[in-house]
Amino acid sequence: MKRRVWLWGAALATYAFLYLPLAVVVLFSFNDSELNASWVGYTTRWYRVLANDTDMLQAAANSLFIALAASTAATVLGTMAGIAMQRWRPPLLAFLVLTPVAMPEILLGVSLLLFFRQVLDLTLGLFSILAAHVTFSTGFVAIIVRARLAGMDDSLFEAARDLGATPWQSFVRITLPLILPGIIAGFLMSFTLSIDDFVITFFVAGVGVTTLPLQIYSMIKVAVTPEVNAVSTLLMALTLSLIVLAARFAPETLRARS
Amino acid sequence: MALLELRNITRRFGKLEAVSNVTLDIAAGEFFTLLGPSGCGKTTILRMIAGFDAPDAGSIALDGRPLAGIAPEKRPVHTVFQSYALFPHLTVAGNIAFPLEMAGRTRDEIRRRVGDTLALVHLEDKGDAYPHELSGGQKQRVALARGLVNRPRLLLLDEPLGALDAKLRERMQGELIALQREVGVTFVFVTHAQQEALALSHRIAVMNAGRIEQVDVPEVLYSAPRNRFVADFIGTINLVEVSVTATAPDRLELAAAGLGALTTAPVADAAPGTRGALALRPEHVRIGRAGAPATLKNRVEGTVAEYLFLGDVTVYKVRLADGSRFEALETNAGAGRAQFHAIGERVTLQWRHDAGVFLRD
């Protein structure tokens, strides 16, 4: 009995440590005060302020577009890389695909900036952000897809060919359904990585285009207003629904496998 | 003309020659087995027939048509994999329908043939089940059904019974024979289990280190092995080092160091002086008390070192004068306890003048 109390206590403390800051943000987004200091009263004012903040809305739209486009591209590239890494094990591929994952973000940001400006002479903006996000997301998708394939019997794919499927039919009918949970998990992973990326985006954004994390950062340089809490709460809600979706479509990516 | 012809097939993996100059003809309707220890090249041959691998030299032809350069999906050959390789995201019916869908059959035909094939393997009520819900034997039957449903010219089976327990294995052997007879599809079966090969096959090719040692019907393979490897690999056998002393039309006279003169069935051109081994199955050896009257031509004395009572038969391991061990098998039909020979008992072993096979070195 004593042991059980202790366990529950430890669990509660851990959850509190993880989720209390998030709960405070959500709570204070409804606080009727200019300051983020003490609770005054309930209001939805900050959400109205947010709805009229065109800069913030533009940044959110940019972030969403970039996250969707970058994670889609990263999912396609990463899936191909993951399959190739598992099936043919070409030398160097794994190293090349996974390096951006291990690289410190600050290094990746600087080198992408230099590459876009000095080598390609590109005008920084939506495209450069998009390209940067694809760069660091692809490796994550590849890792997840490869791990999924590694747990499978290779003779499944030979059996498909053996039973009359062309390589394409075999991919669509057998490989794709079997790795789909990995692909969905990879997509969601890239999406969340992209939508909250700050460091790399900061280097490659240029002056014209801004994303949600950059916008929030520029706001708190002035003062932390409850509007920041409101936008964070919405971002949290979006992420949470993505996780719920993922659990629904690909339960085994979130559940321990038996 | 043979259905499947392998002509001088060689396959190398780096320095290793996995398959060396193999030539085989397999007839339509045959249950043909490639038998050998693991690593002997039998699975490599299967993979080359299926199209997952290609020979470095030699040719494979099916119905007289060379298979070189033809993709696995274009060959009228299906495989039952050792791991079954059932698609986990498809139901049993979905798995069996897969080859029919790939062949572009109509929906009605697919439904009818999936139903027929499920009935053929006694799984009528399992069509909607998923592979992970099936027992090992049921998975095995689904894999067979999936391989047979589109009536391939050839069904390749890669140790399909290897994952089953002994009892189930025996039952599946019976089902496999019945199934092959019923559908008439040519089977090429790969196994390292010699008893399984003897029980199932019309003909067996015994392989060793990439080469074919002997191709024959099971009875001939068992009673007339061509060399020591085959003799030793198939069943249990006594091997005695001998040299030929004289030849006669009805027998070969041999001398064995420490055991004296022996005789065996004649073989072609075994001149006196030829060295080799006398191979003798335990069931040809009669065991009796030491000093029992000689009724058979060959006779050696020994001491019982060990015996295994197996119910229907008893296997005696007897130590001979030269220190070697000899096995004798006695059926227990009508034998009482008094007939047994105890450990340490002196015994006489006898066998007919033509019971053994002389294997030239």
Side-chain angles (χ1 to χ4, degrees), chain A residues 122-164:
Chain A
L122 206 73
T123 310
L124 297 180
L126 265 187
F127 180 77
S128 59
I129 301 175
L130 201 61
H133 285 204
V134 173
T135 306
F136 68 72
S137 300
T138 300
F140 284 97
V141 179
I143 293 172
I144 296 171
V145 168
R146 183 208 202 162
R148 176 103 192 142
L149 272 174
M152 263 170 222
D153 179 6
D154 282 339
S155 55
L156 284 175
F157 311 110
E158 285 190 345
R161 296 289 302 279
D162 184 74
L163 295 167

Short mmCIF file of all heavy atoms in Angstrom, two decimals, chain A residues 122-164:
data_model
loop_
_atom_site.label_atom_id
_atom_site.label_comp_id
_atom_site.label_asym_id
_atom_site.label_seq_id
_atom_site.Cartn_x
_atom_site.Cartn_y
_atom_site.Cartn_z
N LEU A 122 20.19 33.26 -53.84
CA LEU A 122 18.73 33.19 -53.76
C LEU A 122 18.24 34.34 -52.89
O LEU A 122 18.89 34.72 -51.92
CB LEU A 122 18.38 31.86 -53.08
CG LEU A 122 17.05 31.20 -53.35
CD1 LEU A 122 17.03 30.61 -54.74
CD2 LEU A 122 16.83 30.10 -52.32
N THR A 123 17.07 34.88 -53.23
CA THR A 123 16.43 35.85 -52.33
C THR A 123 15.77 35.05 -51.21
O THR A 123 15.00 34.13 -51.48
CB THR A 123 15.36 36.67 -53.06
OG1 THR A 123 15.94 37.18 -54.25
CG2 THR A 123 14.87 37.80 -52.18
N LEU A 124 16.11 35.37 -49.96
CA LEU A 124 15.55 34.60 -48.85
C LEU A 124 14.05 34.87 -48.73
O LEU A 124 13.58 35.97 -49.00
CB LEU A 124 16.26 34.97 -47.55
CG LEU A 124 17.75 34.64 -47.52
CD1 LEU A 124 18.36 35.06 -46.19
CD2 LEU A 124 17.98 33.16 -47.75
N GLY A 125 13.31 33.87 -48.32
CA GLY A 125 11.86 34.03 -48.20
C GLY A 125 11.19 32.70 -47.99
O GLY A 125 11.82 31.76 -47.45
N LEU A 126 9.96 32.56 -48.44
CA LEU A 126 9.20 31.32 -48.25
C LEU A 126 9.98 30.11 -48.77
O LEU A 126 10.06 29.09 -48.10
CB LEU A 126 7.88 31.41 -49.00
CG LEU A 126 6.66 31.86 -48.20
CD1 LEU A 126 5.40 31.73 -49.05
CD2 LEU A 126 6.52 31.03 -46.92
N PHE A 127 10.53 30.26 -49.98
CA PHE A 127 11.18 29.10 -50.58
C PHE A 127 12.39 28.64 -49.79
O PHE A 127 12.58 27.44 -49.58
CB PHE A 127 11.58 29.38 -52.03
CG PHE A 127 12.24 28.20 -52.68
CD1 PHE A 127 11.47 27.12 -53.11
CD2 PHE A 127 13.62 28.13 -52.79
CE1 PHE A 127 12.08 26.02 -53.66
CE2 PHE A 127 14.23 27.02 -53.33
CZ PHE A 127 13.45 25.96 -53.78
N SER A 128 13.20 29.59 -49.34
CA SER A 128 14.40 29.18 -48.60
C SER A 128 14.02 28.51 -47.27
O SER A 128 14.64 27.55 -46.86
CB SER A 128 15.33 30.38 -48.36
OG SER A 128 14.65 31.39 -47.64
N ILE A 129 12.96 29.02 -46.62
CA ILE A 129 12.51 28.39 -45.37
C ILE A 129 12.04 26.95 -45.65
O ILE A 129 12.40 25.99 -44.96
CB ILE A 129 11.36 29.19 -44.71
CG1 ILE A 129 11.81 30.62 -44.42
CG2 ILE A 129 10.90 28.52 -43.43
CD1 ILE A 129 10.71 31.51 -43.88
N LEU A 130 11.24 26.85 -46.71
CA LEU A 130 10.71 25.55 -47.10
C LEU A 130 11.85 24.55 -47.36
O LEU A 130 11.84 23.44 -46.82
CB LEU A 130 9.89 25.75 -48.38
CG LEU A 130 8.86 24.71 -48.73
CD1 LEU A 130 7.81 24.65 -47.63
CD2 LEU A 130 8.19 25.09 -50.05
N ALA A 131 12.81 24.96 -48.13
CA ALA A 131 13.93 24.07 -48.47
C ALA A 131 14.68 23.67 -47.21
O ALA A 131 15.04 22.49 -47.04
CB ALA A 131 14.87 24.78 -49.45
N ALA A 132 14.87 24.62 -46.29
CA ALA A 132 15.59 24.31 -45.05
C ALA A 132 14.81 23.28 -44.22
O ALA A 132 15.38 22.34 -43.67
CB ALA A 132 15.81 25.58 -44.25
N HIS A 133 13.49 23.47 -44.13
CA HIS A 133 12.68 22.55 -43.32
C HIS A 133 12.67 21.14 -43.91
O HIS A 133 12.71 20.15 -43.19
CB HIS A 133 11.26 23.10 -43.18
CG HIS A 133 11.18 24.24 -42.21
ND1 HIS A 133 10.02 24.58 -41.55
CD2 HIS A 133 12.11 25.11 -41.78
CE1 HIS A 133 10.25 25.61 -40.76
NE2 HIS A 133 11.51 25.96 -40.89
N VAL A 134 12.62 21.06 -45.25
CA VAL A 134 12.68 19.74 -45.89
C VAL A 134 14.02 19.08 -45.54
O VAL A 134 14.08 17.89 -45.24
CB VAL A 134 12.51 19.85 -47.42
CG1 VAL A 134 12.74 18.51 -48.09
CG2 VAL A 134 11.12 20.37 -47.76
N THR A 135 15.07 19.88 -45.53
CA THR A 135 16.41 19.35 -45.26
C THR A 135 16.48 18.66 -43.90
O THR A 135 16.97 17.54 -43.79
CB THR A 135 17.46 20.48 -45.30
OG1 THR A 135 17.34 21.16 -46.54
CG2 THR A 135 18.85 19.93 -45.14
N PHE A 136 15.96 19.32 -42.85
CA PHE A 136 16.13 18.67 -41.54
C PHE A 136 15.03 17.65 -41.22
O PHE A 136 15.18 16.84 -40.33
CB PHE A 136 16.32 19.70 -40.41
CG PHE A 136 15.13 20.56 -40.08
CD1 PHE A 136 14.03 20.03 -39.43
CD2 PHE A 136 15.14 21.91 -40.39
CE1 PHE A 136 12.96 20.84 -39.11
CE2 PHE A 136 14.06 22.72 -40.07
CZ PHE A 136 12.96 22.18 -39.44
N SER A 137 13.91 17.67 -41.97
CA SER A 137 12.82 16.72 -41.67
C SER A 137 12.99 15.37 -42.35
O SER A 137 12.56 14.34 -41.83
CB SER A 137 11.47 17.31 -42.11
OG SER A 137 11.22 18.49 -41.43
N THR A 138 13.61 15.38 -43.54
CA THR A 138 13.69 14.15 -44.34
C THR A 138 14.32 13.01 -43.55
O THR A 138 13.84 11.88 -43.58
CB THR A 138 14.49 14.43 -45.63
OG1 THR A 138 13.80 15.46 -46.35
CG2 THR A 138 14.59 13.19 -46.49
N GLY A 139 15.39 13.32 -42.83
CA GLY A 139 16.10 12.28 -42.08
C GLY A 139 15.21 11.60 -41.06
O GLY A 139 15.27 10.37 -40.89
N PHE A 140 14.35 12.38 -40.39
CA PHE A 140 13.47 11.79 -39.37
C PHE A 140 12.49 10.80 -40.01
O PHE A 140 12.26 9.72 -39.48
CB PHE A 140 12.69 12.90 -38.65
CG PHE A 140 13.53 13.65 -37.65
CD1 PHE A 140 14.11 14.86 -37.98
CD2 PHE A 140 13.74 13.13 -36.38
CE1 PHE A 140 14.89 15.55 -37.07
CE2 PHE A 140 14.51 13.80 -35.46
CZ PHE A 140 15.10 15.02 -35.80
N VAL A 141 11.91 11.21 -41.15
CA VAL A 141 10.98 10.30 -41.83
C VAL A 141 11.72 9.02 -42.24
O VAL A 141 11.23 7.90 -42.03
CB VAL A 141 10.36 10.97 -43.08
CG1 VAL A 141 9.41 10.01 -43.77
CG2 VAL A 141 9.64 12.26 -42.69
N ALA A 142 12.93 9.20 -42.78
CA ALA A 142 13.70 8.04 -43.24
C ALA A 142 13.96 7.07 -42.09
O ALA A 142 13.82 5.85 -42.25
CB ALA A 142 15.01 8.50 -43.87
N ILE A 143 14.32 7.62 -40.92
CA ILE A 143 14.60 6.75 -39.76
C ILE A 143 13.36 5.94 -39.39
O ILE A 143 13.43 4.73 -39.15
CB ILE A 143 15.03 7.59 -38.54
CG1 ILE A 143 16.38 8.26 -38.79
CG2 ILE A 143 15.10 6.73 -37.28
CD1 ILE A 143 16.78 9.24 -37.70
N ILE A 144 12.22 6.63 -39.34
CA ILE A 144 10.99 5.95 -38.89
C ILE A 144 10.56 4.87 -39.90
O ILE A 144 10.23 3.75 -39.53
CB ILE A 144 9.86 6.98 -38.68
CG1 ILE A 144 10.25 7.94 -37.54
CG2 ILE A 144 8.55 6.28 -38.36
CD1 ILE A 144 9.33 9.11 -37.38
N VAL A 145 10.60 5.23 -41.19
CA VAL A 145 10.18 4.27 -42.22
C VAL A 145 11.12 3.06 -42.24
O VAL A 145 10.70 1.91 -42.33
CB VAL A 145 10.14 4.94 -43.61
CG1 VAL A 145 10.00 3.91 -44.71
CG2 VAL A 145 8.97 5.92 -43.67
N ARG A 146 12.42 3.34 -42.09
CA ARG A 146 13.37 2.25 -42.11
C ARG A 146 13.17 1.32 -40.92
O ARG A 146 13.25 0.09 -41.05
CB ARG A 146 14.79 2.83 -42.08
CG ARG A 146 15.82 1.75 -42.16
CD ARG A 146 17.08 2.18 -41.48
NE ARG A 146 18.18 1.39 -41.99
CZ ARG A 146 19.44 1.74 -41.87
NH1 ARG A 146 19.76 2.87 -41.32
NH2 ARG A 146 20.37 0.95 -42.31
N ALA A 147 12.91 1.92 -39.74
CA ALA A 147 12.69 1.10 -38.55
C ALA A 147 11.48 0.19 -38.75
O ALA A 147 11.47 -0.97 -38.36
CB ALA A 147 12.47 2.00 -37.33
N ARG A 148 10.46 0.72 -39.39
CA ARG A 148 9.25 -0.05 -39.64
C ARG A 148 9.55 -1.23 -40.57
O ARG A 148 9.13 -2.36 -40.33
CB ARG A 148 8.21 0.89 -40.25
CG ARG A 148 6.95 0.26 -40.66
CD ARG A 148 5.84 0.52 -39.68
NE ARG A 148 4.73 -0.38 -40.01
CZ ARG A 148 3.97 -0.96 -39.14
NH1 ARG A 148 4.13 -0.76 -37.87
NH2 ARG A 148 3.01 -1.77 -39.52
N LEU A 149 10.33 -0.95 -41.61
CA LEU A 149 10.67 -2.01 -42.57
C LEU A 149 11.59 -3.05 -41.94
O LEU A 149 11.49 -4.24 -42.24
CB LEU A 149 11.38 -1.40 -43.78
CG LEU A 149 10.50 -0.92 -44.92
CD1 LEU A 149 11.36 -0.23 -45.95
CD2 LEU A 149 9.75 -2.08 -45.56
N ALA A 150 12.48 -2.58 -41.07
CA ALA A 150 13.46 -3.49 -40.48
C ALA A 150 12.76 -4.57 -39.64
O ALA A 150 13.28 -5.67 -39.51
CB ALA A 150 14.45 -2.71 -39.62
N GLY A 151 11.58 -4.25 -39.10
CA GLY A 151 10.87 -5.23 -38.30
C GLY A 151 10.07 -6.21 -39.13
O GLY A 151 9.30 -7.00 -38.60
N MET A 152 10.23 -6.16 -40.45
CA MET A 152 9.40 -7.00 -41.31
C MET A 152 10.19 -8.08 -42.01
O MET A 152 11.37 -7.92 -42.28
CB MET A 152 8.74 -6.12 -42.36
CG MET A 152 7.36 -5.73 -41.97
SD MET A 152 6.81 -4.49 -43.09
CE MET A 152 6.02 -3.43 -41.92
N ASP A 153 9.50 -9.15 -42.33
CA ASP A 153 10.10 -10.28 -43.04
C ASP A 153 10.32 -9.89 -44.50
O ASP A 153 9.37 -9.56 -45.21
CB ASP A 153 9.11 -11.44 -42.93
CG ASP A 153 9.60 -12.68 -43.64
OD1 ASP A 153 10.74 -12.67 -44.13
OD2 ASP A 153 8.82 -13.65 -43.70
N ASP A 154 11.58 -9.90 -44.96
CA ASP A 154 11.88 -9.52 -46.33
C ASP A 154 11.15 -10.39 -47.35
O ASP A 154 10.88 -9.96 -48.46
CB ASP A 154 13.39 -9.63 -46.60
CG ASP A 154 14.14 -8.46 -46.01
OD1 ASP A 154 13.49 -7.41 -45.79
OD2 ASP A 154 15.36 -8.58 -45.78
N SER A 155 10.84 -11.63 -46.96
CA SER A 155 10.22 -12.51 -47.95
C SER A 155 8.80 -12.06 -48.29
O SER A 155 8.24 -12.50 -49.29
CB SER A 155 10.25 -13.97 -47.49
OG SER A 155 9.67 -14.11 -46.23
N LEU A 156 8.20 -11.14 -47.48
CA LEU A 156 6.89 -10.60 -47.84
C LEU A 156 6.95 -9.92 -49.21
O LEU A 156 6.04 -10.08 -50.04
CB LEU A 156 6.45 -9.56 -46.81
CG LEU A 156 5.95 -10.08 -45.48
CD1 LEU A 156 5.68 -8.90 -44.55
CD2 LEU A 156 4.67 -10.87 -45.69
N PHE A 157 8.03 -9.18 -49.43
CA PHE A 157 8.11 -8.40 -50.66
C PHE A 157 8.49 -9.31 -51.83
O PHE A 157 8.06 -9.10 -52.96
CB PHE A 157 9.08 -7.24 -50.48
CG PHE A 157 8.78 -6.48 -49.21
CD1 PHE A 157 9.63 -6.53 -48.11
CD2 PHE A 157 7.59 -5.77 -49.09
CE1 PHE A 157 9.31 -5.87 -46.94
CE2 PHE A 157 7.27 -5.10 -47.91
CZ PHE A 157 8.13 -5.15 -46.83
N GLU A 158 9.28 -10.33 -51.53
CA GLU A 158 9.58 -11.33 -52.57
C GLU A 158 8.32 -12.12 -52.90
O GLU A 158 8.07 -12.44 -54.06
CB GLU A 158 10.68 -12.29 -52.09
CG GLU A 158 12.04 -11.64 -52.12
CD GLU A 158 13.16 -12.64 -51.88
OE1 GLU A 158 12.87 -13.76 -51.41
OE2 GLU A 158 14.30 -12.30 -52.17
N ALA A 159 7.53 -12.42 -51.87
CA ALA A 159 6.30 -13.19 -52.11
C ALA A 159 5.37 -12.43 -53.04
O ALA A 159 4.75 -13.02 -53.93
CB ALA A 159 5.59 -13.48 -50.78
N ALA A 160 5.29 -11.11 -52.87
CA ALA A 160 4.42 -10.32 -53.74
C ALA A 160 4.85 -10.45 -55.20
O ALA A 160 4.03 -10.71 -56.09
CB ALA A 160 4.43 -8.85 -53.31
N ARG A 161 6.16 -10.30 -55.43
CA ARG A 161 6.67 -10.44 -56.80
C ARG A 161 6.43 -11.86 -57.30
O ARG A 161 5.99 -12.07 -58.44
CB ARG A 161 8.17 -10.14 -56.85
CG ARG A 161 8.57 -8.73 -56.47
CD ARG A 161 8.17 -7.73 -57.53
NE ARG A 161 8.74 -8.01 -58.84
CZ ARG A 161 9.97 -7.70 -59.21
NH1 ARG A 161 10.78 -7.10 -58.39
NH2 ARG A 161 10.40 -7.98 -60.42
N ASP A 162 6.71 -12.81 -56.46
CA ASP A 162 6.57 -14.22 -56.81
C ASP A 162 5.14 -14.55 -57.25
O ASP A 162 4.92 -15.36 -58.12
CB ASP A 162 6.96 -15.07 -55.60
CG ASP A 162 6.94 -16.55 -55.91
OD1 ASP A 162 7.85 -17.00 -56.60
OD2 ASP A 162 6.02 -17.24 -55.46
N LEU A 163 4.16 -13.89 -56.60
CA LEU A 163 2.76 -14.19 -56.88
C LEU A 163 2.20 -13.33 -58.02
O LEU A 163 1.00 -13.28 -58.22
CB LEU A 163 1.92 -14.00 -55.62
CG LEU A 163 2.26 -14.99 -54.49
CD1 LEU A 163 1.63 -14.55 -53.18
CD2 LEU A 163 1.80 -16.40 -54.85
N GLY A 164 3.09 -12.65 -58.73
CA GLY A 164 2.64 -12.00 -59.96
C GLY A 164 2.57 -10.49 -59.92
O GLY A 164 2.10 -9.88 -60.88
#
